[in-house]
Amino acid sequence: MAFDALSEVVKTERQGGVLVVTINNPPVNALGVAVRRGLAAAMDVAEADSAVAAVLIVGAGRNFIAGADIREFGKPPQPPSLPEVCSRIENCAKPVVAAIHGAALGGGLEVALSAHYRLAVSSAKLGLPEVLLGLLPGSGGTQRGPRLIGAKAALDLILSGRHASAKEAFALGLIDRLGEGQDALAEGLAYAQELVAGQAPVRRTRDAAALADTEASRAAVDAARADTAKKSRGLFSPMKIIEAVEAALALPFDEGMALERKLFLQCIDSPQRAGLIHAFFAEREVLKAPETKAAKPRQLDSAGIVGGGTMGAGIAVAMLDAGMPVTMIERDEPSLARGRAHVEKVYDGLIKKGRMTPEAKAALMARFSGAMSYDALAQVDIVVEAVFEDLAVKKAVFAELDRVCKPGAVLATNTSYLDIDEIAASTSRPGDVVGLHFFSPANIMKLLEIVVPAKVSADVVATGFELAKKLKKVPVRAGVCDGFIGNRILAVYRQAADHMMEDGASPYDIDAAVRNFGYPMGPFQVSDLAGGDIGWATRKRKATTRDPKARYVQITDRLCERGWFGQKTQRGYYLYPEGARTGQPDPEVLAIIETERERAGIKPRAFTEDEIMRRYMAAMVNEGANVVHQGIALRPLDVDVTFLYGYGFPRHRGGPMKYADTVGLPQVLADIREFAKQDPLFWQPSPLLVALVERGADFASLNQSE
Ligand code: 3H9
């Protein structure tokens, strides 16, 4: 038995006539330069050693290979390139087998496609998710893939970026064999030995014939192009993917590979790639809060919810879906019945759409119970309070929780803006009190702001992060302030939008500009969806503390005074005849705006889409900088993730702070100073933004952890 250490990350070991090549590059065996070199060298070893009859490629740890090393993108390339390595594998004179467990994604699957035979065990997930990073498979995925499984199936995998199970991959012809056990090495070795015994030939995917039916292949490409034109909302890489797959139909393999490379490099150079990869790392970085490093989460097996309104019910559903038993508290029988009905409505909706069976609903509801006495919460591990946004009401709830809950129970409030320090101080156990700010609908929206009051224990915060994981949500750590990260910033850019509305842009112009930027909806559509009454109540409450010198646009109040609260009243900024979900512009709203402009003595002027977005984004970025400066958000990337997951910010732009880096901070600051000429009180440059520009730095420089 021969043993070779080609490099730290790729090892070869001969087992009988099979050269086992093991990639061991934790955490996910990404194809960094050392792995690429190691793989190429392993092929040399295989060919040079006459005792080797076949090669087996496997991954150590939990995965085969997760793909190219994403951290290398944007840096100077180091040889050998992955396409070269894949071609080296495919051209190996001896049969090469890939045995897959865990992730075989992107370049990982492309390595497997370059092997001559493929086996996968049931833990395998195979896919070409490059599109999610603004890329296309750049190492033969668009050329070998369609040749192996046909254009339709390949386009589906590549354009969706989804993961296929081993079983599906087998049905598609992506792999040749399903392993029976879980041990990819043992299964792969047996397969390789069997191939050697049967004198199986080298079989190159580049020669596979799944594109032989040219008519069907062409139809698949045409259908994908039409569909993508409709759905891809300004994304760059999907059309490039189709172009590359089309080349697999029309061009010889090597020419197709050259085109794939060219298109891949165009994607690499696109700002969308930078934005999407920023999002990929940022959503993993947010998990690394100081408290998650310092402390272990508390037990989290059962939950209580106080309040059965929309929010409380949504949180209950999220918890039930995660397998937790939930006890809901309401003040009386009818309220409790309503709370339960809210929960059931979600599941009934799923049943109606055929996405849930009545039996599954019954199983979930069996874990749900309701009570009017807080005593029912005596044994739960965590309670989330979701009652009316009123400090006195919340304090009363926490007094009850303090009385009944077992020691060590986590007491969470879902307040959107109230002072959690004050709520915590009203209990005898402020160390157990934390903010868990869910977004509506709470069972669907991914964002969970974990709001950290001054006295909370680290393990309670860590429990918040653990809950997010259980509920499959994206947690962002936030400090206590009015609105935390998201709603605080929203309040500011929404004001910028209101200013523009009064100065001459219609809400429809503003919404259209924001949608064209990549948001699913504009701010006025959002407020029609959320309901104008909540914001109106907040504005009335804050009226006495508002700076009298600050500009205050009254247009929205005029709509609210008429009872136009948005979709639920069939009109707001838009008209929603007969409960329509998409609104129509309303001439009466435009007339009200006109009257308000006159009252305020404003002569309306025209706004280009570009100016609308400059002002909108400058307001967002500036307040984002303040939020980082004051430690409300740990880093700019926490602001980015908040907006990606809670506010519909277009992912391909990476988040507002990443977007600001892309535009350039000097430009953003210059815009703010320009706007400040008209309204210096509103447009005060954030000290952090000024400091970064002065030292020639960007927000990314503040994202490095530790
Ligand atoms: C590509 O392949 C291009 C080619 O077509 C052409 C090239 C020429 N690189 O997600 P996790 C890190 S594009 C570098 O928490 P899980 C991740 O940041 C690539 N690092 O684990 C994290 O680091 P940290 C196509 C990577 O078990 C750690 O690994 N492939 C990469 O929940 C653990 O990750 C993809 O898009 C990478 N490729 O999920 C697959 N992947 O601990 C992307 C992960 O410092 N990856 N890291 O925070 C995934 O989907 C998931 O990571 C995976 C594991 C499912 C594999």
Side-chain angles (χ1 to χ4, degrees):
M1 191 173 287
F3 182 79
D4 253 308
L6 290 172
S7 69
E8 280 300 304
V9 291
V10 180
K11 297 207 165 30
T12 56
E13 182 184 6
R14 194 156 55 69
Q15 298 211 12
V18 179
L19 185 74
V20 179
V21 180
T22 307
I23 299 163
N24 186 7
N25 185 27
V28 293
N29 296 336
L31 293 155
V33 60
V35 175
R36 297 199 300 276
R37 283 188 188 141
L39 275 173
M43 295 304 121
D44 293 342
V45 171
E47 282 182 341
D49 186 347
S50 59
V52 171
V55 182
L56 173 67
I57 303 177
V58 292
R62 285 170 46 209
N63 299 295
F64 178 67
I65 303 169
D69 186 339
I70 302 170
R71 291 177 206 272
E72 286 183 358
F73 295 151
K75 297 187 185 149
Q78 295 195 66
S81 71
L82 193 57
E84 283 162 2
V85 173
C86 286
S87 144
R88 181 76 192 86
I89 294 170
E90 187 166 61
N91 290 329
C92 183
K94 299 175 181 175
V96 182
V97 180
I100 299 166
H101 75 298
L105 299 174
L109 183 55
E110 290 174 304
V111 165
L113 291 176
S114 311
H116 306 132
Y117 298 91
R118 283 160 294 281
L119 169 146
V121 300
S122 65
S123 69
K125 38 188 179 182
L126 304 94
L128 293 165
E130 286 87 343
V131 68
L132 306 176
L133 303 173
L135 294 171
L136 50 85
S139 210
T142 68
Q143 303 302 304
R144 292 190 183 92
R147 282 176 167 84
L148 189 64
I149 62 171
K152 188 162 186 278
L155 279 164
D156 167 48
L157 274 187
I158 304 173
L159 285 169
S160 69
R162 71 185 176 83
H163 300 168
S165 66
K167 220 163 136 191
E168 189 197 354
F170 181 66
L172 289 172
L174 204 53
I175 58 169
D176 304 292
R177 183 171 288 194
L178 275 173
E180 279 163 20
Q182 281 309 318
D183 184 346
L185 172 60
E187 300 269 344
L189 206 50
Y191 185 31
Q193 277 155 352
E194 189 188 311
L195 289 167
V196 171
Q199 293 184 329
V202 158
R203 195 190 55 167
R204 301 195 169 98
T205 308
R206 59 181 284 163
D207 302 325
L211 292 175
D213 182 346
T214 45
E215 218 167 288
S217 306
R218 164 102 341 256
V221 169
D222 291 345
R225 182 165 278 134
D227 194 48
T228 302
K230 261 193 276 160
K231 287 195 204 143
S232 75
R233 298 174 59 91
L235 288 179
F236 182 75
S237 80
M239 280 300 183
K240 301 286 165 189
I241 286 171
I242 295 172
E243 202 180 329
V245 171
E246 193 170 31
L249 272 56
L251 300 177
F253 181 78
D254 291 326
E255 286 175 40
M257 285 298 289
L259 182 72
E260 180 194 78
R261 186 74 187 156
K262 188 177 123 196
L263 297 172
F264 177 76
L265 293 176
Q266 286 177 11
C267 292
I268 282 276
D269 286 341
S270 80
Q272 295 191 355
R273 185 275 302 166
L276 288 164
I277 287 184
H278 171 75
F280 177 88
F281 285 118
E283 68 201 15
R284 287 167 173 76
E285 266 327 290
V286 288
L287 306 174
K288 300 170 192 163
E291 293 86 354
T292 58
K293 292 182 196 161
K296 293 237 164 321
R298 293 184 185 174
Q299 189 171 324
L300 205 47
D301 295 331
S302 58
I305 308 275
V306 184
T310 313
M311 209 61 206
I315 299 168
V317 170
M319 289 174 161
L320 290 168
D321 287 350
M324 297 172 84
V326 173
T327 306
M328 179 183 277
I329 302 292
E330 261 294 0
R331 59 176 169 252
D332 51 34
E333 211 47 89
S335 309
L336 200 52
R338 254 197 314 275
R340 188 185 177 95
H342 280 142
V343 172
E344 293 207 40
K345 198 173 148 200
V346 173
Y347 293 131
D348 290 339
L350 291 176
I351 292 174
K352 218 164 135 197
K353 286 186 200 140
R355 283 168 38 203
M356 179 178 266
T357 60
E359 294 73 37
K361 175 191 163 189
L364 284 162
M365 289 307 292
R367 279 190 273 106
F368 178 87
S369 60
M372 282 170 292
S373 160
Y374 281 85
D375 295 328
L377 301 181
Q379 290 310 318
V380 299
D381 295 327
I382 185 168
V383 182
V384 181
E385 162 280 310
V387 302
F388 188 64
E389 282 285 83
D390 179 290
L391 197 57
V393 177
K394 303 235 180 214
K395 279 185 178 171
V397 169
F398 274 79
E400 283 298 288
L401 297 178
D402 198 10
R403 182 178 65 78
V404 301
C405 288
K406 67 180 180 188
V410 171
L411 310 182
T413 171
N414 178 52
T415 180
S416 316
Y417 56 84
L418 295 175
D419 185 347
I420 304 179
D421 283 318
E422 209 178 321
I423 295 173
S426 74
T427 70
S428 68
R429 36 175 136 172
D432 294 339
V433 177
V434 69
L436 292 177
H437 184 211
F438 289 81
F439 288 69
S440 186
N443 55 315
I444 292 174
M445 291 294 286
K446 287 272 177 217
L447 181 64
L448 181 62
E449 278 180 314
I450 309 225
V451 192
V452 180
K455 298 225 170 100
V456 67
S457 321
D459 62 347
V460 169
V461 178
T463 311
F465 279 85
E466 187 64 21
L467 179 72
K469 190 167 153 194
K470 246 182 138 116
L471 305 189
K472 298 197 174 71
K473 302 221 175 280
V474 180
V476 174
R477 184 192 190 280
V480 175
C481 69
D482 189 347
F484 316 130
I485 299 178
N487 283 348
R488 171 168 160 178
I489 298 173
L490 163 71
V492 176
Y493 67 79
R494 177 53 213 257
Q495 276 179 56
D498 285 350
H499 294 172
M500 289 190 274
M501 172 162 67
E502 197 173 53
D503 286 339
S506 81
Y508 316 122
D509 296 336
I510 297 170
D511 280 349
V514 170
R515 280 197 309 272
N516 290 340
F517 182 80
Y519 274 90
M521 279 191 241
F524 298 100
Q525 289 174 291
V526 170
S527 99
D528 271 3
L529 181 67
D533 44 343
I534 301 159
W536 192 32
T538 312
R539 288 195 301 282
K540 284 196 274 196
R541 203 184 51 249
K542 289 185 178 168
T544 48
T545 52
R546 202 166 34 232
D547 181 348
K549 290 199 286 299
R551 180 172 177 186
Y552 182 74
V553 176
Q554 299 182 25
I555 297 167
T556 310
D557 293 343
R558 294 296 93 80
L559 305 189
C560 291
E561 285 155 11
R562 288 167 168 79
W564 299 355
F565 295 139
Q567 291 195 15
K568 63 182 169 191
T569 57
Q570 301 198 357
R571 69 191 299 179
Y573 294 98
Y574 294 80
L575 285 169
Y576 302 89
E578 284 147 40
R581 303 284 300 267
T582 322
Q584 298 164 4
D586 183 349
E588 280 189 62
V589 168
L590 293 176
I592 292 168
I593 295 173
E594 206 41 65
T595 313
E596 281 300 303
R597 286 174 185 153
E598 277 168 32
R599 192 191 51 74
I602 288 166
K603 202 167 152 294
R605 68 177 180 91
F607 281 80
T608 62
E609 204 160 273
D610 179 59
E611 186 182 358
I612 291 173
M613 285 322 294
R614 278 174 107 120
R615 286 177 177 266
Y616 197 72
M617 288 310 304
M620 194 183 302
V621 169
N622 198 47
E623 192 62 8
N626 283 333
V627 155
V628 175
H629 187 56
Q630 293 164 15
I632 300 299
L634 285 176
R635 300 148 296 191
L637 68 82
D638 297 83
V639 176
D640 285 338
V641 173
T642 302
F643 278 84
L644 292 176
Y645 284 98
Y647 297 82
F649 195 92
R651 186 175 170 92
H652 67 266
R653 297 188 189 272
M657 311 312 264
K658 173 70 186 175
Y659 174 73
D661 276 354
T662 312
V663 172
L665 299 193
Q667 177 65 55
V668 176
L669 182 59
D671 278 352
I672 292 171
R673 289 189 166 140
E674 179 62 32
F675 305 149
K677 287 180 186 158
Q678 296 143 10
D679 187 349
L681 193 61
F682 182 76
W683 292 104
Q684 294 180 43
S686 165
L688 178 63
L689 184 58
V690 173
L692 287 172
V693 170
E694 269 168 14
R695 57 174 207 262
D698 57 8
F699 286 129
S701 66
L702 305 177
N703 281 338
Q704 271 73 15
S705 48
E706 263 103 36

